[in-house]
Amino acid sequence: MTTPLLQIRNLHVRLEDDPSVEIIKGIDLTIMPGEVHSIMGPNGSGKSTLAQVLAGKEDYEITEGEILFNGQDLTELGPDERANSGIFLAFQYPVEIPGVSAMQFLKAAVNAKRAFEGQNELDAGALLKHFRAKAEQINVPFEMLKRNVNEGFSGGEKKRFEIFQMAVLDSVLGILDESDSGLDIDALRIVADGVNSMRDGRRSFLVITHYQRLLNYIVPDHVHVLVNGRIVKSGGKELALELEEKGYRPFGVNESAVAGAGA
Amino acid sequence: MTNLMDKPVSMLDVPVPAGPAWLEAYRSRARSRFPGFPTLRDEAWRYTNITPILETPFQPAISAARDVSADDVQHVRVPELDSSLLVFVNGRYRADLSDADELGKGVVSLPLHEAVRSHAELLEEHLGTASGEHEDPFTTLNDAMVSDGLFVHVSDGARPDRPIEVLSIATRTAEPVASHPRNLVVVGKEARATVLEHYVTLDDDAVYLNNAVTELIAAPSATVEHYLLERESERAFNISTLAIRQAAESVVHSHTVLLGGRIVRNNVTPVLAGERAHCLINGLYVGHREQHLDNAMRVRHAAPQCESRQYYKGIMNDRSRGVFTGRIVVDKIAQKTDAIQSNRNMLLSDDARVNARPQLEIYADDVRCTHGATTGRVDDEAVFYFMSRGLSEPVARAMLVYAFAAEGFDRMELVPVRRLLAAEMIDKLPMARGLSIEV
């Protein structure tokens, strides 16, 4: 039997600073190698929190349940160990870092992963070759690597650079946190093409989005509807179309009432 | 100010070698106008308590407990910088360790004590002309003690073929030594020069005072780049004053990096005295443990259409304290002044502190002056971003702190200086050990 890549069982999460706020109220989710899952939900449903919890952000406390990655418990690992194990979070708002070039950043990241795996550092030549190949695959101008991390990047450039980083790090689970937000259709298509170029039957993706639009380009195997910290419905890709048509109202959500509550 | 009773007198009573009559007169005028040492009640010294300096029983430069070798010099000078080198050890010029060859036509670069004999007229003409702009007790003290340092004169249109590096090396001595280095740099019309003041120690526990004054006089259309690299012992005191006087269309860049010292005061006081002069004041202070690093900028626009840029950054760890006072004075005549001042600080511990004071004094009506001061911490969101790419928390933090400082290094022309500073800074940040950075 194949081991699931990611297995979430009865996950409960609350805010560390305010334990009275429970955001995730019992989620079960199993992602097999090669699968693309999408989590769709209205604002405030907990979908971005789930992404951050998977990546290891410290602002949250897991009160119940477990997260297994390749059969191993993740919850005690720091964000860096999770990344080096193969988890990649594509940020909704990638952080601008003046003073650190994208090249320097990626060299450090690649070599951190290699050190984690007990491999020697790659030399500058091998790294450059690797970066060039991935830049071509993801359709990222190589010049982008000479700029500071995300500094002055357009919305589309930032999202493309995220996908490029995942390719460079050769992560096996990509968590895309609203990668479609703020993108026009052309930028969206480039991001989706980058993701699709990495689908190889081994890598999996968890695509988090509010809208169905992105799923026209990254076609999921499974769609889950997240409302108020719980998965209320799961289905195939047709579920996304159903949501597009009817909105989240059938799930008891009055969008305007929760809009702006934050994710 | 405290009066001249008690210990401060002893610092004035230290004998200095006799000089020509004009120099004796210069010293004697300074003695008589010395106002006493500042206290916390003086506005300009409000955040810097100099009592530990006054309580130290200083001696004049005396023979060192150990000799300094040529190898030591190679070890501490800026690596891979092909500079003309003047070496002072505990305040005394060391010809044997210096490498001050000819720098090309029209360029004079000498220890000041030699210039007193060989270039008396130039010295008499210029000494005190830039530093007299803004009276400061330590500058006056230096005036009273003028005896050695660097003298540079670049004739109109000339340019030295190398940067000039004044390397002040301190070692452990039986009694604490007080030195008063005096540098005078005169750069002629359309001439260029690069000067580094470099303070280092061979003994981390050496106690001493360097009270240095550098006067930089830029003729019309001259271009001057000045560096102050302060790597003193953390038990030492350093008061450095850079007094700049700029004629029309001159360009002066000042780069200051404070790394060492127990109590450090860094004064930079440019006067933009000719139209369309441009001045850049770039600085970084990195403190840890109990260090106290005080920066006092006073930029005076005394002519129309000049530009000044102040970019100072502080990184403070442990219980260290940083001070930044940035004053911009715009004279009534200085219309179309364009002045920018920015001071940004990063605190790495709960006990580190920074006092930032922007001060504008504007008498002209058609000017553009902007200033901003911020104090913050390493951005947690950025740390998480780096960690989510596999970097450990210490490396993530180190890269972010380094990145904060790197902007200042990028403004420096001399790449070997950038490399040295990057390495020194990484050395000083406990979380950054092992970080490799390309500069």
Side-chain angles (χ1 to χ4, degrees):
Chain A
M1 204 179 96
T2 319
T3 310
L5 183 64
L6 182 74
Q7 195 163 25
I8 301 174
R9 289 185 191 144
N10 189 32
L11 184 69
H12 289 254
V13 173
R14 64 186 185 188
L15 280 181
E16 199 172 64
D17 285 351
D18 186 356
S20 69
V21 182
E22 190 176 44
I23 302 172
I24 292 174
K25 302 167 181 169
I27 286 183
D28 291 276
L29 179 68
T30 300
I31 300 179
M32 300 303 288
E35 288 182 348
V36 174
H37 287 240
S38 176
I39 288 192
M40 298 185 67
N43 292 330
S45 60
K47 55 190 195 299
S48 277
T49 297
L50 178 63
Q52 306 236 319
V53 167
L54 291 175
K57 187 128 202 234
E58 281 181 350
D59 302 357
Y60 305 100
E61 188 191 344
I62 295 173
T63 53
E64 228 184 304
E66 60 183 1
I67 305 169
L68 302 178
F69 183 67
N70 278 325
Q72 302 291 314
D73 185 16
L74 263 192
T75 47
E76 294 303 312
L77 300 184
D80 49 336
E81 294 162 306
R82 297 181 194 207
N84 290 327
S85 305
I87 293 179
F88 186 90
L89 171 64
F91 278 49
Q92 184 177 3
Y93 303 108
V95 186
E96 297 198 16
I97 317 281
V100 179
S101 76
M103 185 87 79
Q104 198 173 318
F105 174 52
L106 286 174
K107 280 181 181 175
V110 167
N111 282 326
K113 185 175 185 185
R114 291 181 67 86
F116 182 83
E117 292 167 344
Q119 292 181 275
N120 291 335
E121 288 200 350
L122 279 185
D123 65 38
L127 279 166
L128 277 181
K129 202 175 155 195
H130 179 57
F131 293 162
R132 279 188 199 284
K134 295 301 175 186
E136 202 165 311
Q137 180 190 336
I138 307 300
N139 195 7
V140 162
F142 192 73
E143 292 299 303
M144 200 184 239
L145 272 72
K146 293 177 184 163
R147 294 164 66 185
N148 288 331
V149 177
N150 293 319
E151 192 187 18
F153 285 18
S154 69
E157 283 176 325
K158 283 181 182 167
K159 300 298 169 71
R160 251 149 91 185
F161 185 56
E162 295 287 289
I163 303 305
F164 171 69
Q165 290 177 49
M166 177 176 167
V168 163
L169 294 172
D170 196 22
S171 311
V172 290
L173 176 63
I175 302 161
L176 275 50
D177 186 9
E178 307 210 30
S179 293
D180 49 340
S181 67
L183 297 194
D184 63 30
I185 201 73
D186 291 334
L188 189 75
R189 191 175 288 143
I190 293 174
V191 167
D193 286 349
V195 170
N196 290 329
S197 76
M198 283 193 275
R199 293 181 69 170
D200 57 1
R202 177 180 69 99
R203 270 199 195 85
S204 304
F205 287 89
L206 181 59
V207 181
I208 289 170
T209 182
H210 188 122
Y211 304 103
Q212 182 268 340
R213 194 176 63 147
L214 178 63
L215 306 180
N216 288 334
Y217 301 96
I218 306 174
V219 181
D221 301 304
H222 301 275
V223 174
H224 312 276
V225 182
L226 187 69
V227 174
N228 196 21
R230 290 189 183 91
I231 290 177
V232 293
K233 190 170 186 181
S234 294
K237 62 185 174 192
E238 64 289 344
L239 180 55
L241 295 167
E242 194 183 315
L243 279 172
E244 181 71 1
E245 200 181 316
K246 298 181 184 160
Y248 294 102
R249 275 178 195 280
F251 304 103
V253 177
N254 182 354
E255 253 310 5
S256 60
V258 291
Chain B
M1 308 221 175
T2 56
N3 63 27
L4 282 185
M5 299 303 110
D6 206 16
K7 280 167 188 150
V9 182
S10 70
M11 247 195 282
L12 278 175
D13 280 347
V14 166
V16 287
W22 70 266
L23 187 59
E24 290 299 335
Y26 184 94
R27 289 169 176 162
S28 146
R29 282 196 301 276
R31 276 165 184 273
S32 57
R33 70 169 192 274
F34 183 72
F37 286 99
T39 70
L40 295 176
R41 284 190 295 279
D42 295 296
E43 190 55 30
W45 291 83
R46 202 170 132 195
Y47 297 111
T48 299
N49 182 358
I50 60 162
T51 307
I53 303 179
L54 301 183
E55 286 176 347
T56 305
F58 289 109
Q59 302 297 316
I62 46 171
S63 56
R66 63 144 141 168
D67 197 23
V68 172
S69 68
D71 278 351
D72 290 329
V73 171
Q74 289 309 314
H75 186 65
V76 294
R77 68 185 294 188
V78 179
E80 287 162 44
L81 180 70
D82 179 20
S83 59
S84 166
L85 192 68
L86 284 85
V87 178
F88 291 81
V89 175
N90 299 327
R92 291 263 170 90
Y93 180 64
R94 286 285 296 269
D96 58 319
L97 298 174
S98 300
D99 174 20
D101 288 344
E102 288 293 304
L103 284 165
K105 198 162 174 268
V107 183
V108 175
S109 174
L110 291 171
L112 193 91
H113 77 270
E114 281 180 30
V116 166
R117 294 195 305 268
S118 59
H119 294 77
E121 277 181 22
L122 281 174
L123 220 62
E124 193 177 354
E125 181 189 343
H126 293 290
L127 194 70
T129 55
S131 64
E133 157 75 17
H134 185 59
E135 279 291 322
D136 171 274
F138 283 94
T139 302
T140 308
L141 179 63
N142 183 291
D143 282 333
M145 312 294 284
V146 176
S147 57
D148 213 348
L150 168 73
F151 173 72
V152 173
H153 186 270
V154 184
S155 304
D156 294 352
R159 59 192 300 176
D161 54 18
R162 279 170 293 164
I164 299 162
E165 180 177 0
V166 193
L167 184 63
S168 295
I169 301 174
T171 65
R172 194 186 309 117
T173 49
E175 300 290 337
V177 171
S179 309
H180 304 272
R182 182 63 172 240
N183 307 311
L184 177 61
V185 178
V186 182
V187 182
K189 285 180 196 164
E190 294 175 9
R192 280 175 173 268
T194 299
V195 176
L196 284 91
E197 272 180 83
H198 189 175
Y199 298 90
V200 292
T201 185
L202 294 179
D203 300 305
D204 290 337
D205 59 352
V207 179
Y208 54 91
L209 164 70
N210 270 319
N211 172 36
V213 173
T214 297
E215 292 185 86
L216 203 161
I217 296 157
S221 302
T223 303
V224 189
E225 193 171 35
H226 176 271
Y227 295 80
L228 172 70
L229 312 182
E230 184 273 302
R231 302 161 68 200
E232 306 277 31
S233 140
E234 285 180 27
R235 295 183 65 191
F237 310 104
N238 180 297
I239 315 278
S240 283
T241 299
L242 175 63
I244 304 169
R245 188 164 183 88
Q246 291 187 239
E249 296 183 21
S250 60
V251 175
V252 172
H253 289 186
S254 146
H255 308 285
T256 300
V257 181
L258 309 182
L259 292 165
R262 174 177 170 192
I263 296 172
V264 177
R265 167 76 166 216
N266 161 42
N267 299 306
V268 182
T269 60
V271 178
L272 298 148
E275 290 187 15
R276 292 180 299 280
H278 177 96
C279 183
L280 165 71
I281 298 177
N282 179 34
L284 176 71
Y285 43 104
V286 185
H288 68 176
R289 297 181 191 138
E290 312 285 345
Q291 285 186 287
H292 184 102
L293 308 174
D294 179 353
N295 302 277
M297 309 290 112
R298 186 181 191 276
V299 177
R300 183 174 154 216
H301 284 257
Q305 298 179 59
C306 293
E307 279 182 355
S308 65
R309 299 287 180 264
Q310 297 179 57
Y311 303 112
Y312 258 67
K313 282 188 172 178
I315 299 172
M316 310 307 289
N317 202 358
D318 303 330
R319 293 159 306 282
S320 63
R321 187 173 187 182
V323 181
F324 177 86
T325 307
R327 179 175 288 254
I328 302 173
V329 181
V330 181
D331 289 2
K332 199 168 180 188
I333 190 179
Q335 300 295 356
K336 307 276 185 201
T337 283
D338 181 350
I340 294 176
Q341 178 191 105
S342 154
N343 173 234
R344 293 177 58 202
N345 299 286
M346 189 179 259
L347 302 181
L348 302 183
S349 81
D350 291 339
D351 297 324
R353 270 195 298 170
V354 166
N355 298 97
R357 295 190 293 179
Q359 300 175 331
L360 302 182
E361 231 180 89
I362 300 174
Y363 302 101
D365 48 29
D366 183 12
V367 303
R368 190 176 83 105
C369 286
T370 63
H371 65 86
T374 61
T375 299
R377 290 171 183 281
V378 182
D379 178 14
D380 285 338
E381 193 61 27
V383 172
F384 177 58
Y385 188 68
F386 274 31
M387 289 181 77
S388 76
R389 302 306 183 244
L391 302 174
S392 69
E393 184 169 351
V395 170
R397 286 186 183 276
M399 283 184 82
L400 290 165
V401 174
Y402 181 82
F404 178 75
E407 194 188 20
F409 297 156
D410 291 346
R411 295 194 186 95
M412 299 176 182
E413 291 281 330
L414 297 177
V415 175
V417 174
R418 292 187 201 176
R419 287 204 190 108
L420 170 68
L421 294 174
E424 286 281 306
M425 220 192 77
I426 286 169
D427 246 20
K428 200 168 172 179
L429 299 169
M431 76 281 268
R433 242 163 250 143
L435 185 68
S436 83
I437 293 281
E438 287 159 38
V439 180

